Amino acid sequence: EDCHDNVRTVMKIYGDGLAAYRRKDFASAAVAFESLKDDPAALVMLARCRKLQTGESVVGLDIGTMVFAILNK
């Protein structure tokens, strides 16, 4: 598997996780993001999924639209 194939694989898995997250299927999203342990963005999303699975709120997240607002730079 060359570098391009690996990038495509990571993008596919991340995209699947993001689609599940947007559907509010946090369990499926967590599985996808957890498989990308070397991807910092996936780890952020995994932490959000785990919180949302337990009913916790995520600061800056509009749960209706699933859009996250950056509150600080």
Side-chain angles (χ1 to χ4, degrees), residues 3-64:
C3 180
H4 295 291
D5 289 338
N6 185 49
V7 170
R8 284 186 193 100
T9 299
V10 169
M11 289 175 62
K12 169 81 169 97
I13 294 168
Y14 190 92
D16 290 347
L18 188 58
Y21 175 84
R22 289 178 175 159
R23 289 190 313 270
K24 301 179 185 175
D25 180 359
F26 304 121
S28 295
V31 169
F33 294 132
E34 193 167 33
S35 73
L36 301 174
K37 294 183 189 293
D38 295 330
D39 186 299
L43 296 178
V44 169
M45 296 302 290
L46 176 59
R48 289 181 190 167
C49 288
R50 287 184 173 154
K51 279 188 170 186
L52 292 165
Q53 280 180 290
T54 64
E56 287 184 63
S57 62
V58 174
V59 176
L61 178 67
D62 179 332
I63 196 71

